[in-house]
Amino acid sequence: MPKLTRPQIWAHRGFSHSYPENTMASFHAALSLGVDGLELDVHLSRDGHLVVIHDERLDRTTTGTGLVVDHTLAELKQLDAGSKFAARFAGERIPTLDEVLVLVSQSSRPITLNIEIKSGILPYPNLECLAYEAVSRYGLLQRVIFSSFNHFAMRNLKQTYHGSRIGLLYTAGLVDPWRYAQFLEAEALHPLFYSVDKSIIDDAHRAGVAVHAYTIDDVDDMVRLAADGIDAIITNRPDVMLQARNNHESL
Ligand code: G3P
Ligand code: MG
């Protein structure tokens, strides 16, 4: 039986169910599983470096306290980003975006990298363009889609770099979201998965807009979304989702 390649399976913050989120250990583990893509979150350090972490604050996932943006990269690199998840991951660090770009550029498979611009709460000026320029330096623009809940950031990126690929993150149900995607010239919608159904996905596809949904950790939800034609699912459980896709008689 041929293996299914759809929907694409993207690892949310890496293989974050089993590894500390947004760490190199988590990204390596996801790639080892054979995922089609990685999702990660970026913030800015005090001295202007792009760093991979989900929260604005350090407290939940690292041994640090306070805001990411109040620390230099050297200070952030002192922190442990693994031991709060499990003692055996002590020594994991907050990665820079560059470290992940090196990993992606060395991957033997052409995986997609979904870079989420975390400027929804703190206003990091031009974070999206700095991320684009980093990706460009590695020659990876064709492999990357930028996303954000801050659609002003996505519009700014698209207007500054017309060739950038952007996805619009949202949570609640929107009426005709593909119209909005077309208005912002977005390549994709990135909805919370409850917010899409087959008619929205079909209409988005007719409009030339892809649909990448988050965060799907239950096989039944993936099966429903696969039947509806979703292009990619973003999951904390890439192990379970890949296995389900491989046993695709159930899909
Ligand atoms: O990109 C999908 C998902 O990561 C958005 O929410 O809060 O997990 O970054 P969050
Ligand atoms: Mg994210």
Side-chain angles (χ1 to χ4, degrees), residues 2-68:
K3 285 190 175 174
L4 281 190
T5 56
R6 286 174 58 85
Q8 285 210 348
I9 292 170
W10 297 355
H12 183 236
R13 312 179 196 173
F15 184 5
S16 58
H17 173 268
S18 303
Y19 293 79
E21 65 180 56
N22 280 326
T23 62
M24 294 309 287
S26 187
F27 299 131
H28 278 289
L31 290 182
S32 299
L33 289 174
V35 295
D36 306 299
L38 300 174
E39 187 266 2
L40 57 75
D41 309 287
V42 292
H43 292 257
L44 215 52
S45 70
R46 194 173 86 203
D47 49 348
H49 291 274
L50 293 149
V51 288
V52 179
I53 184 168
H54 180 271
D55 299 357
E56 286 69 26
R57 297 186 65 84
L58 297 161
D59 307 57
R60 180 178 62 86
T61 58
T62 80
T63 49
T65 58
L67 295 175
V68 174

Side-chain angles (χ1 to χ4, degrees), residues 12-13 22 39-42 54 114-118 147 149 169 214-215 234:
H12 183 236
R13 312 179 196 173
N22 280 326
E39 187 266 2
L40 57 75
D41 309 287
V42 292
H54 180 271
N114 176 193
I115 298 176
E116 186 184 340
I117 304 296
K118 279 289 184 200
S147 64
F149 287 104
L169 276 162
Y214 71 94
T215 302
I234 303 172

Side-chain angles (χ1 to χ4, degrees), residues 171-203:
T171 52
L174 295 179
V175 175
D176 294 355
W178 64 91
R179 294 185 200 273
Y180 181 60
Q182 286 183 313
F183 167 62
L184 288 178
E185 297 182 59
E187 281 70 19
L189 294 164
H190 285 215
L192 179 66
F193 77 94
Y194 297 118
S195 306
V196 282
D197 60 15
K198 182 166 169 39
S199 73
I200 287 176
I201 295 169
D202 285 347
D203 284 339

Side-chain angles (χ1 to χ4, degrees), residues 23-222:
T23 62
M24 294 309 287
S26 187
F27 299 131
H28 278 289
L31 290 182
S32 299
L33 289 174
V35 295
D36 306 299
L38 300 174
E39 187 266 2
L40 57 75
D41 309 287
V42 292
H43 292 257
L44 215 52
S45 70
R46 194 173 86 203
D47 49 348
H49 291 274
L50 293 149
V51 288
V52 179
I53 184 168
H54 180 271
D55 299 357
E56 286 69 26
R57 297 186 65 84
L58 297 161
D59 307 57
R60 180 178 62 86
T61 58
T62 80
T63 49
T65 58
L67 295 175
V68 174
V69 73
D70 286 342
H71 295 73
T72 64
L73 179 61
E75 289 166 346
L76 294 173
K77 280 293 188 185
Q78 302 283 321
L79 306 176
D80 191 303
S83 57
K84 278 200 171 168
F85 184 85
R88 69 181 181 283
F89 293 113
E92 282 297 319
R93 301 292 163 196
I94 297 172
T96 59
L97 180 61
D98 279 56
E99 288 172 73
V100 182
L101 293 172
V102 168
L103 178 68
V104 171
S105 66
Q106 291 172 346
S107 167
S108 54
R109 290 176 295 107
I111 61 152
T112 297
L113 182 64
N114 176 193
I115 298 176
E116 186 184 340
I117 304 296
K118 279 289 184 200
S119 52
I121 295 176
L122 292 179
Y124 299 109
N126 237 21
L127 173 60
E128 56 280 5
C129 291
L130 295 173
Y132 178 96
E133 287 153 18
V135 171
S136 179
R137 283 195 291 277
Y138 286 86
L140 290 172
L141 288 170
Q142 295 311 311
R143 306 262 290 269
V144 170
I145 184 161
F146 299 88
S147 64
S148 187
F149 287 104
N150 181 344
H151 299 175
F152 290 98
M154 294 292 92
R155 183 175 66 173
N156 181 47
L157 178 58
K158 196 68 171 180
Q159 289 179 345
T160 307
Y161 294 113
H162 198 73
S164 57
R165 297 197 300 145
I166 61 170
L168 305 174
L169 276 162
Y170 65 97
T171 52
L174 295 179
V175 175
D176 294 355
W178 64 91
R179 294 185 200 273
Y180 181 60
Q182 286 183 313
F183 167 62
L184 288 178
E185 297 182 59
E187 281 70 19
L189 294 164
H190 285 215
L192 179 66
F193 77 94
Y194 297 118
S195 306
V196 282
D197 60 15
K198 182 166 169 39
S199 73
I200 287 176
I201 295 169
D202 285 347
D203 284 339
H205 286 170
R206 274 192 281 274
V209 175
V211 185
H212 309 139
Y214 71 94
T215 302
I216 296 103
D217 289 345
D218 185 289
V219 171
D220 289 344
D221 291 323
M222 181 181 77

